[in-house]
Amino acid sequence: MRILHIISEAPPIRSGFARSVECLSRELSKLGHRVDVVSAKSIRHWRVGEIKLCYDFGKIYTLNLDDYDVVNIHGHTPTFSDNFLFSVKTRARDKPLVYTFHCLVNFYLSPISKLYNKVMGYLIGLADRIVVTTPSYFNFVRFSDKVRLIPWGVDYEFFHNRREKGDGYNVLFVGQMRPYKGLSILLKAIRGLNLTLHVIGDGPDRYRYQALARRLSLNNVCFYGNLDDLKLREFYSRCDVLTIPSISENEAFGLVTLEAAAAGCAVIATDLPGLRDVVGPFGVLVPPNDLEALRKALILLSREDVRSCYVEKGLKEAKKYSWEETGRRYAELYRELV
């Protein structure tokens, strides 16, 4: 089959969206399918804070679809996934269309975000099939007859590396430097704790977080920027705990939680729709934006006897996820429609 993925972020960007489409495309290619990816990089847009506002409607509504058997749009991404949904269905009504529901939208303008999510709840009904990555997202989709649950995967064998015990208690953050990731909460939570925080990732707010660490007089925080997978694997193997302190529903599946679990890290994550289903069986969940709860979880997992129990559960749970299975199930879904 010839498959087109339309997604706001793709490699070389380092993000969950980009990682998911990269790994899914790899597995589909292994199965003999031809896969192309269109991202916001090739569509002119303005950036307003965390939001990309696409205005290249000429390109969106003239994208060549004739070469493809299936189109798979990923969202929600305002002005991107919504416009492509309209474009595909108005220009190629009979073209099989899949919509992968990664996450909700919450850009701190609560009434507007809620309205947008409600509208998208209807709009994704234009797709022939809707894929959700965790059971919690079933609650946000109205068209139950069209919905399929296909979780993302993890390269377990790659990340299941030999552990290298670091000095002291080492905590890891991996993610983009964006407000919804909650790094400011994490920096405040570790104040006065006997640990080292390793921060991996980049983004427009990196310097703001570095300045916050200085204002808090944190001498136990190291910023590394983006790292390739080999370097990232080294940090997973040396750190004791990965924490995902995200504060809004913009957080999706949380791929890094499975990577860390496969490497033998305990995991702390916030209780959000995507994360709770993935991390709940093996990690510690805390309420979003709750500095004290996050701090208590970090103190709890500083005890090696407690941490080892979570690590053991994480290793077992991570084995249940594989990119090969994700690719196989997507290929089956596409075949249903072609």
Side-chain angles (χ1 to χ4, degrees), residues 216-258:
L216 294 171
S217 300
L218 297 176
N219 299 317
N220 56 342
V221 181
C222 303
F223 290 84
Y224 301 93
N226 284 328
L227 300 178
D228 62 31
D229 284 350
L230 287 172
K231 288 288 186 183
L232 179 59
R233 182 174 67 176
E234 289 179 17
F235 275 92
Y236 284 142
S237 68
R238 292 204 306 264
C239 289
D240 302 297
V241 174
L242 172 83
T243 181
I244 305 295
S246 302
I247 60 174
S248 86
E249 291 89 348
N250 290 338
E251 183 60 68
F253 184 87
L255 293 172
V256 295
T257 63
L258 291 179

Side-chain angles (χ1 to χ4, degrees), residues 42-98:
S42 60
I43 307 294
R44 288 177 296 174
H45 61 274
W46 294 295
R47 181 180 283 277
V48 181
E50 292 189 69
I51 307 174
K52 297 186 185 81
L53 298 175
C54 298
Y55 62 90
D56 197 353
F57 299 114
K59 191 162 187 178
I60 291 173
Y61 284 86
T62 58
L63 182 68
N64 180 26
L65 303 173
D66 295 336
D67 291 341
Y68 301 101
D69 300 304
V70 179
V71 177
N72 193 155
I73 298 173
H74 300 251
H76 302 342
T77 307
T79 74
F80 185 82
S81 53
D82 41 20
N83 271 301
F84 271 111
L85 271 167
F86 275 121
S87 171
V88 173
K89 271 307 176 185
T90 55
R91 294 171 49 234
R93 185 173 295 275
D94 296 328
K95 182 75 64 179
L97 176 61
V98 175

Side-chain angles (χ1 to χ4, degrees), residues 11-229:
I13 291 174
R14 305 283 291 185
S15 72
F17 268 44
R19 170 84 86 181
S20 62
V21 79
E22 176 186 29
C23 294
L24 176 56
S25 298
R26 179 192 70 200
E27 296 305 322
L28 290 169
S29 296
K30 285 181 184 177
L31 294 171
H33 306 294
R34 195 193 89 188
V35 183
D36 291 329
V37 177
V38 169
S39 72
K41 182 180 179 181
S42 60
I43 307 294
R44 288 177 296 174
H45 61 274
W46 294 295
R47 181 180 283 277
V48 181
E50 292 189 69
I51 307 174
K52 297 186 185 81
L53 298 175
C54 298
Y55 62 90
D56 197 353
F57 299 114
K59 191 162 187 178
I60 291 173
Y61 284 86
T62 58
L63 182 68
N64 180 26
L65 303 173
D66 295 336
D67 291 341
Y68 301 101
D69 300 304
V70 179
V71 177
N72 193 155
I73 298 173
H74 300 251
H76 302 342
T77 307
T79 74
F80 185 82
S81 53
D82 41 20
N83 271 301
F84 271 111
L85 271 167
F86 275 121
S87 171
V88 173
K89 271 307 176 185
T90 55
R91 294 171 49 234
R93 185 173 295 275
D94 296 328
K95 182 75 64 179
L97 176 61
V98 175
Y99 187 89
T100 299
F101 185 164
H102 286 250
C103 61
L104 295 164
V105 167
N106 185 345
F107 288 111
Y108 317 112
L109 300 171
S110 184
I112 297 176
S113 294
K114 286 181 179 178
L115 177 61
Y116 181 82
N117 288 324
K118 187 172 183 178
V119 170
M120 283 300 294
Y122 289 101
L123 187 59
I124 60 178
L126 292 172
D128 299 294
R129 294 290 185 274
I130 302 163
V131 177
V132 295
T133 57
T134 72
S136 287
Y137 286 121
F138 274 115
N139 300 326
F140 303 102
V141 180
R142 298 174 180 276
F143 308 94
S144 58
D145 57 319
K146 295 184 176 184
V147 182
R148 302 292 184 272
L149 172 63
I150 306 179
W152 295 129
V154 63
D155 289 321
Y156 185 90
E157 295 303 324
F158 176 81
F159 287 107
H160 188 59
N161 199 26
R162 187 175 64 183
R163 298 289 296 169
E164 299 178 20
K165 179 60 180 170
D167 295 330
Y169 180 34
N170 289 277
V171 175
L172 182 63
F173 170 94
V174 180
Q176 291 184 311
M177 301 291 162
R178 302 170 70 177
Y180 81 83
K181 288 291 187 178
L183 182 54
S184 59
I185 299 292
L186 177 57
L187 290 172
K188 294 171 185 175
I190 67 168
R191 196 174 187 184
L193 297 184
N194 185 22
L195 57 79
T196 301
L197 174 63
H198 304 273
V199 179
I200 296 174
D202 212 337
D205 290 322
R206 177 178 175 179
Y207 297 108
R208 184 169 69 85
Y209 293 126
Q210 289 175 320
L212 176 60
R214 288 193 295 271
R215 286 200 305 275
L216 294 171
S217 300
L218 297 176
N219 299 317
N220 56 342
V221 181
C222 303
F223 290 84
Y224 301 93
N226 284 328
L227 300 178
D228 62 31
D229 284 350

